[in-house]
């Protein structure tokens, strides 16, 4: 981790974490603390909390910012066991919160297709397993286009039916700003073959794009109703 933006008020430090199968592909019966993306990020937050003074920051005034998958990670860090007190404000931009629900069946299909994940697998082998898992996810519509995601009920996250209550419980303690764009999910139209074909028919294509642009709004609104401030532009 390094500091950037010396001419800015405060300090900015990036945290990089692996993506795809390197973060999410695992057997659902595993119980160790490496079964979700959050533990690595929790380690980074703990390091930041312990060392931020050396960079001119303040341990009790940390703000996290993430966009898309990064925003999703921050939203789930809010409800991760062990994250309390490590950050105090969050800026969540374009997080795919709506797509993080109801993924268990798809995850099981991906795990069956990819098979065991060897502890000593090479990067090339992991990427091959990732491709196999992605193929298994394609039949799950839009969720299958974001195949690797949060797995509730695996440490350090609560069960899926407890996540909304977990967010409500932490909302008074963390200032959150959630943002979205006006056509948040429209970009996925071009990666779904049947929808891509429909967009070539002018009247239908316009309606399809408009519907996908609106589809991200309910998730944003739900979180705004929990007292979380949000912006849309």
């Amino acid at each position: 981790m390094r500091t950037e933006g010396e001419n800015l008020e405060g300090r900015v430090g990036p945290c990089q974490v692996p993506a795809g199968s390197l973060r999410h592909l695992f057997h659902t019966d595993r119980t160790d603390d490496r079964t979700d993306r959050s533990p690595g990020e929790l380690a980074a937050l703990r390091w930041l909390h312990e060392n931020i003074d050396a960079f001119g920051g303040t341990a009790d005034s940390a703000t996290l910012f993430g966009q898309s998958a990064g925003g999703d990670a921050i939203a789930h860090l809010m409800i991760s066991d062990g994250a309390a007190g490590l950050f105090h404000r969050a800026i969540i931009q374009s997080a795919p919160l709506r797509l993080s629900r109801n993924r268990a069946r798809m995850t099981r299909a991906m795990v069956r297709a990819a098979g065991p994940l060897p502890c000593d697998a090479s990067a090339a082998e992991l990427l091959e397993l990732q491709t196999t898992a992605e193929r298994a996810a394609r039949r799950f519509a839009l969720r299958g286009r974001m195949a690797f995601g949060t797995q509730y009920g695996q440490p350090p996250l609560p069960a899926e039916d407890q996540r909304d209550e977990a967010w409500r419980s932490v909302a008074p303690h963390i200032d959150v700003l959630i943002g979205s764009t006006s056509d948040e999910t429209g970009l996925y139209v071009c990666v779904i073959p049947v929808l891509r074909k429909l967009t070539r028919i002018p009247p239908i294509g316009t309606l399809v794009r408009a519907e996908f642009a609106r589809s991200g709004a309910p998730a944003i609104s739900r979180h705004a109703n929990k007292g979380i401030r949000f912006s849309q532009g």
Side-chain angles (χ1 to χ4, degrees), residues 45-145:
L45 286 178
R46 294 188 190 103
W47 186 93
L48 182 66
H49 187 77
E50 295 169 1
N51 296 279
I52 195 171
D53 289 347
F55 298 93
T58 305
D60 61 359
S61 185
T63 301
L64 301 186
F65 169 81
Q67 190 270 338
S68 191
D72 182 76
I74 290 172
H76 288 92
L77 280 168
M78 290 175 62
I79 57 174
S80 291
D81 185 30
L86 295 180
F87 63 101
H88 312 85
R89 291 177 295 276
I91 303 172
I92 301 170
Q93 176 64 36
S94 301
L97 298 174
R98 190 179 188 184
L99 297 180
S100 63
R101 290 181 178 272
N102 304 317
R103 304 178 64 91
R105 183 164 160 260
M106 181 179 71
T107 298
R108 288 193 295 269
M110 293 168 64
V111 169
R112 285 195 301 269
L117 181 63
C119 295
D120 59 349
S122 66
E125 290 171 328
L126 286 173
L127 291 174
E128 184 176 352
L129 288 174
Q130 175 173 306
T131 300
T132 300
E134 287 173 336
R135 283 197 295 266
R138 287 176 184 170
R139 62 188 176 92
F140 291 90
L142 186 57
R143 283 183 178 83
R145 300 297 166 170

Side-chain angles (χ1 to χ4, degrees), residues 168-192:
R168 280 191 288 268
S169 69
V170 300
H173 309 291
I174 301 176
D175 295 326
V176 179
L177 177 67
I178 295 182
S180 66
T181 64
S182 59
D183 56 350
E184 191 67 29
T185 53
L187 65 93
Y188 292 104
V189 172
C190 64
V191 300
I192 300 177

